[in-house]
Amino acid sequence: MDRLAAMETFVRVIEAGSFSGAAKQLRVGQPAVSKSIAQLEDRLGVRLLLRSTHGLTATEAGRNFYERAKRAIEEAEEAELAARSAGAMLSGRLRICAPVTFARLQVVSRLAIFLAEHPAIDIDMVLDDRNIDLIEAGIDVALRLGRQPDSTLTARKIAECRAVVVGAPAYLDALGTPRTPSDLQAHQAIIYDQRQGGQVWTFRKGTDEISVTVTGRFRVSAAEGVREAVLAGLGISIGGSEWLFAPELESGALRAILTDWSLPTVELWAVFPTGRQASAKARAFTTFLENQLSHITD
């Protein structure tokens, strides 16, 4: 049995969630995948997967083996790349996780350039505003907004931009434009119910600093909902990145307010699974996006 091939088959089964899905990715028959997993379990002397009518579930041994097997495959790819020289073509599947709206506005539109530069790479993109478990989801690199408090993660800051306070012209014309941060307390705020959102914001201007607690009747768990709520005139968005509202600020569909005050900048981080060396594909994508966004933030 080819040990590395068996590892790759197991990794594909975990990430696809089924034997049939892995077989499709590997372009082999489902019986070949089942046989490979059975032989792997026999050789290891441990059950890696639990099979039921509801699907496949990795055992504790299976989860541990998955993490190490994926790392071994990536390190083998790294070794092959080094042997072929630095100019060798990157290939294989790159699995990326990113916040929904940020990806739609700032990432997906740029992927054609990246894919043209790397014609042998395929991309799987998982869109989720939450900080999902990277190992469980089989993620190679995650894009996350905001400061990263978990020091156990391998992370690299690749960009940052201003946080803005925005409102729709119709809302501001009807209810007035806030002139100071304290004025926000008389307005409806769109509350973004994620770690980088919230109701308490600290504004700065020179040596002045003021913290404001805002309230609002609409609370939402995804940035896409924040955008739509502001555009619909439900209230004011506080602390969202310029990346999030760039098209509407440029067109005039939204107005930036309190521009003489500043909020903490919004940071973009590339986060890699704990204990795993970033693959050459993940590093190439991270550097690509960093260069692309530098044209906006410079």
Side-chain angles (χ1 to χ4, degrees), residues 166-170 172 230-232 245-256:
V166 300
L172 298 173
V230 178
L231 287 166
F245 300 108
E248 290 74 25
L249 289 172
E250 184 175 351
S251 69
L254 292 177
R255 294 178 193 162

Side-chain angles (χ1 to χ4, degrees), residues 55-258:
L56 299 175
T57 304
T59 63
E60 183 177 356
R63 291 192 296 271
N64 291 335
F65 185 75
Y66 165 79
E67 180 181 345
R68 288 161 176 78
K70 188 169 177 67
R71 188 185 312 164
I73 293 167
E74 290 169 350
E75 289 176 352
E77 290 177 349
E78 293 280 347
E80 288 184 1
L81 178 61
R84 289 174 186 155
S85 82
M89 179 182 292
L90 295 175
S91 64
R93 190 169 300 276
L94 175 63
R95 194 165 167 83
I96 303 165
C97 179
V100 179
T101 306
F102 176 79
R104 178 172 69 82
L105 294 174
Q106 302 297 342
V107 181
V108 174
S109 60
R110 294 178 165 86
L111 288 182
I113 302 172
F114 180 78
L115 291 172
E117 292 176 354
H118 303 284
I121 288 181
D122 295 331
I123 290 178
D124 287 349
M125 181 167 282
V126 177
L127 299 181
D128 201 316
D129 283 359
R130 301 167 301 170
N131 289 351
I132 65 174
D133 187 308
L134 303 188
I135 293 174
E136 182 178 334
I139 301 299
D140 297 300
V141 57
L143 302 175
R144 290 182 177 173
L145 295 169
R147 288 176 172 80
Q148 300 302 308
D150 189 346
S151 60
T152 66
L153 291 173
T154 302
R156 169 183 160 195
K157 188 172 81 169
I158 60 176
E160 65 179 9
C161 76
R162 288 196 313 154
V164 291
V165 182
V166 300
Y171 175 92
L172 298 173
D173 291 345
L175 298 175
T177 300
R179 303 299 176 187
T180 70
S182 297
D183 292 344
L184 292 170
Q185 294 173 314
H187 284 264
Q188 289 291 316
I190 307 302
I191 309 299
Y192 182 35
D193 200 15
Q194 294 289 347
R195 184 176 58 81
Q196 62 268 38
Q199 294 180 249
V200 180
W201 296 95
T202 299
F203 291 81
R204 293 183 176 84
K205 181 168 67 171
T207 58
D208 294 335
E209 180 177 297
I210 181 172
S211 291
V212 177
T213 301
V214 297
T215 58
R217 298 175 61 194
F218 185 71
R219 183 183 296 264
V220 63
S221 63
E224 193 72 13
V226 175
R227 276 175 45 86
E228 292 304 312
V230 178
L231 287 166
L234 296 183
I236 293 172
S237 171
I238 303 167
S241 71
E242 284 187 312
W243 290 317
L244 185 64
F245 300 108
E248 290 74 25
L249 289 172
E250 184 175 351
S251 69
L254 292 177
R255 294 178 193 162
I257 57 181
L258 298 176

